Amino acid sequence: MNIKLLIYLINTLLILWFIFYQNKDYRNSIKWLLFFLLIPLFSFVIYYFLGQGIKVNKKKYLIVEQRINNIFSLKSDNKKCTNYSLEKLINTNISLKASQITFYNDIYYFLDGDSYYSSLINDIKLAKSSIHIEIYIFRDDDFGETIMDILLQKANEGIKVKLLYDPNGNLLNKRGFLKKYKHPNLKIVKYYPSHYQIRNYNYRNHRKIIVIDGKIAYLGGFNFGVEYLSEDDKVSPFRDTQMKIKGEGVYELQRQFLIDFYYAYSLIHPFVDVDVNLSDIVLYKEEKKKVPMQFISTSYFVRENVKRSKLKLLSYAKKEVYIQTPYLILDVVMMEQIKLLLLSGVKVNIMIPLKYDKKIPYCASLACARELYNLGAKIYLYEGFIHSKVIIVDDFYLVVGSSNLDVRSFSLNLETDCFIYSYNEVSRYKNIYNIDILNSIEYSPYIEEKLFKSFKIGKRIYRLISSLM
């Protein structure tokens, strides 16, 4: 048997394995099959890293999840919901593995790196018992060094510090950047150990959760690095949205952090005990503030649950939708949902950056923007780099979190979003959005052709391959 025939035989067997044992959407399956036929064998190596799905040790994860949930046994007030639509959304999210709704919360929004980092550093310095940080990108730059020096100082004071980071989001960091920060009270864990890191290269822990003393939490889009301080001309001014939360919602973010941290920890260490203070997992209420909120995090066991929760939310739109996202790369289902809103008379406003950090996904964003613009959507190009991940539906629903409106966030990354049910909070953020519009230019095909004339081929190619990933 010659080598060429052997290759085609192996490729045929692999294609049969893919057809009968890989449960993928039929549209993606057809594209992958075409890829397998065009590039025998080598295409399966690419599929192994990009297409199979995240590798998880289910047994260890379920053990960790159960043990953490046993500690978090407190319940929020059981208030009867009189709004049928809201009750349906809340229950749908719960069926998609979202948290229970919490009521007594207060929120503050940070829109730039200077104000956010200043508040965060101040809260870290005031920490009395614990500091928990789950981050996607942790640069080894001046800001990264500053944060680590402060965390080491707090560890020396007896504060328990836990840091969880994604190794594939930090490949450009100097080797050993975090290894020099050694202290018994400072535990640093990467989400995937080496044997998982290679297999899960395309699947990132994209969450940004910070919990201090179990009483203050931060959630949103900011990572750690000087570019988030608008010090990188390529993406300056850098505009993002981060929430500071006080109240019952902190309890749910603490739960998610500990599950993530101890699952990653259990992959390289014996999982013996949960090293947390019971005072850090008490359901604290902001009695004078009432902002109902519900958190949803990517689930290993419910496929694309974050995407489905947003599809459900968008289906409620009757008047107007506001979206901010750095990447607008929609699959068929999400694209059709937004098109249906436009065709039914709902106003759709979408804000994406004018500057971009990655050319290829920006090509795909422009392609999606033009398609929706042609149906009547208003597209705004923020004059800088907007990294916010926000959706507003009508006058009552607001979502802020880590997930972009793109295929990667919905199908590949681990994300956490906060659903906020509040007329006041929607009004507050609409004011922020309207200020952002003043710092934007309105999209048109003419503007696109003038500014991004060289992107024509890129728009077509990336729209095709984005659904394979």
Side-chain angles (χ1 to χ4, degrees):
M1 183 182 293
N2 62 45
I3 188 69
K4 188 174 181 180
L5 184 61
L6 180 61
I7 288 173
Y8 279 108
L9 177 60
I10 295 173
N11 201 60
T12 301
L13 292 173
L14 288 171
I15 287 173
L16 291 172
W17 164 80
F18 173 81
I19 292 171
F20 290 106
Y21 290 97
Q22 295 293 291
N23 183 24
K24 296 186 73 69
D25 177 83
Y26 77 91
R27 295 182 185 89
N28 286 343
S29 294
I30 291 171
K31 293 174 184 178
W32 276 113
L33 286 171
L34 179 62
F35 194 41
F36 298 153
L37 292 170
L38 290 174
I39 313 176
L41 294 190
F42 180 71
S43 56
F44 281 93
V45 176
I46 297 175
Y47 177 73
Y48 179 80
F49 291 105
L50 302 184
Q52 273 202 105
I54 194 168
K55 179 176 174 58
V56 59
N57 187 320
K58 292 183 179 180
K59 182 177 179 181
K60 284 191 174 182
Y61 186 88
L62 289 171
I63 290 172
V64 170
E65 185 179 51
Q66 184 60 52
R67 290 184 66 177
I68 298 298
N69 284 338
N70 286 343
I71 298 173
F72 284 76
S73 58
L74 299 173
K75 299 291 183 183
S76 181
D77 290 351
N78 184 20
K79 294 185 179 294
K80 184 174 178 59
C81 183
T82 57
N83 184 313
Y84 177 74
S85 295
L86 175 59
E87 183 180 32
K88 290 290 288 184
L89 178 60
I90 292 169
N91 290 336
T92 298
N93 283 347
I94 289 173
S95 70
L96 292 170
K97 299 299 181 183
S99 71
Q100 297 289 333
I101 187 171
T102 62
F103 295 92
Y104 296 97
N105 301 287
D106 192 16
I107 300 173
Y108 186 84
Y109 302 101
F110 297 95
L111 310 178
D112 64 89
D114 284 316
S115 61
Y116 165 52
Y117 287 159
S118 176
S119 175
L120 175 63
I121 288 172
N122 183 64
D123 286 334
I124 288 175
K125 287 181 176 180
L126 295 174
K128 302 298 182 186
S129 58
S130 65
I131 302 166
H132 296 160
I133 298 174
E134 183 171 355
I135 199 77
Y136 172 52
I137 294 174
F138 197 132
R139 300 284 189 219
D140 59 347
D141 54 22
D142 290 344
F143 181 75
E145 294 274 0
T146 298
I147 282 287
M148 287 310 304
D149 289 342
I150 295 171
L151 293 178
L152 183 60
Q153 178 185 338
K154 297 303 292 186
N156 283 324
E157 294 173 10
I159 307 302
K160 293 180 179 179
V161 181
K162 295 180 177 65
L163 170 61
L164 177 64
Y165 70 97
D166 183 281
N168 291 325
N170 297 277
L171 292 175
L172 299 180
N173 283 357
K174 296 188 293 286
R175 294 193 67 181
F177 162 54
L178 294 174
K179 288 183 179 178
K180 61 185 178 182
Y181 295 96
K182 292 185 177 180
H183 194 281
N185 289 329
L186 176 56
K187 292 182 178 178
I188 302 174
V189 177
K190 58 184 179 180
Y191 196 74
Y192 305 120
S194 56
H195 57 292
Y196 278 76
Q197 184 178 346
I198 297 173
R199 166 64 174 77
N200 284 335
Y201 174 75
N202 199 37
Y203 303 91
R204 314 292 173 79
N205 183 353
H206 196 243
R207 301 197 236 273
K208 296 97 175 172
I209 298 173
I210 300 172
V211 183
I212 299 171
D213 292 343
K215 299 180 180 68
I216 298 171
Y218 290 89
L219 178 71
F222 276 102
N223 292 292
F224 288 170
V226 295
E227 70 260 42
Y228 302 96
L229 291 164
S230 296
E231 294 184 13
D232 183 345
D233 290 340
K234 182 181 178 182
V235 291
S236 178
F238 192 98
R239 161 77 173 84
D240 209 332
T241 300
Q242 196 86 357
M243 296 190 301
K244 180 177 180 177
I245 304 168
K246 294 182 179 180
E248 296 174 310
V250 178
Y251 178 84
E252 297 296 345
L253 289 175
Q254 182 83 295
R255 184 207 307 263
Q256 185 63 54
F257 170 84
L258 291 172
I259 291 172
D260 290 342
F261 181 88
Y262 280 107
Y263 167 65
Y265 185 86
S266 73
L267 294 175
I268 50 176
H269 301 286
F271 180 40
V272 178
D273 196 10
V274 178
D275 182 23
V276 293
N277 298 320
L278 292 179
S279 61
D280 288 347
I281 54 174
V282 174
L283 198 67
Y284 288 98
K285 295 181 180 180
E286 284 291 305
E287 296 286 1
K288 296 181 180 179
K289 297 286 185 177
K290 189 175 179 184
V291 180
M293 61 175 60
Q294 185 179 31
F295 298 93
I296 185 162
S297 297
T298 303
S299 170
Y300 287 123
F301 310 112
V302 179
R303 188 172 179 271
E304 297 186 340
N305 64 322
V306 171
K307 171 184 152 183
R308 290 179 179 182
S309 68
K310 289 188 175 180
L311 284 169
K312 180 67 174 177
L313 174 64
L314 289 170
S315 73
Y316 282 7
K318 299 293 186 291
K319 297 187 298 183
E320 195 159 17
V321 170
Y322 297 81
I323 293 169
Q324 287 178 327
T325 180
Y327 313 109
L328 183 70
I329 307 170
L330 308 178
D331 62 12
V332 174
V333 178
M334 186 62 74
M335 178 63 84
E336 287 303 310
Q337 176 65 74
I338 296 177
K339 284 181 177 179
L340 282 172
L341 293 180
L342 290 165
L343 292 169
S344 63
V346 174
K347 296 178 182 177
V348 176
N349 307 277
I350 301 175
M351 188 175 292
I352 60 175
L354 181 61
K355 293 186 176 181
Y356 56 89
D357 59 342
K358 303 177 186 72
K359 182 174 180 178
I360 294 177
Y362 194 67
C363 288
S365 294
L366 289 175
C368 287
R370 176 175 282 212
E371 196 170 340
L372 294 173
Y373 171 86
N374 289 336
L375 281 177
K378 278 197 171 184
I379 310 293
Y380 299 98
L381 302 175
Y382 183 83
E383 295 193 88
F385 184 72
I386 189 159
H387 196 243
S388 296
K389 303 95 167 50
V390 174
I391 296 177
I392 298 172
V393 171
D394 291 344
D395 301 317
F396 188 67
Y397 302 99
L398 168 65
V399 180
V400 181
S402 68
S403 71
N404 303 306
L405 208 66
D406 71 350
V407 173
R408 168 166 286 280
S409 279
F410 292 152
S411 303
L412 303 176
N413 291 343
L414 302 179
E415 307 282 5
T416 295
D417 287 335
C418 179
F419 279 63
I420 300 166
Y421 312 117
S422 166
Y423 293 108
N424 289 338
E425 293 305 314
V426 167
S427 178
R428 281 178 69 189
Y429 204 91
K430 279 184 180 179
N431 289 335
I432 293 170
Y433 197 103
N434 287 329
I435 292 171
D436 289 333
I437 289 176
L438 297 178
N439 295 308
S440 305
I441 61 175
E442 195 164 340
Y443 169 93
S444 71
Y446 171 77
I447 292 289
E448 182 186 339
E449 292 297 328
K450 184 179 178 180
L451 297 178
F452 308 107
K453 190 174 182 179
S454 64
F455 283 20
K456 284 185 178 179
I457 296 176
K459 285 186 290 183
R460 296 180 183 275
I461 293 175
Y462 198 76
R463 278 295 299 277
L464 174 64
I465 67 174
S466 63
S467 61
L468 294 178
M469 299 174 65

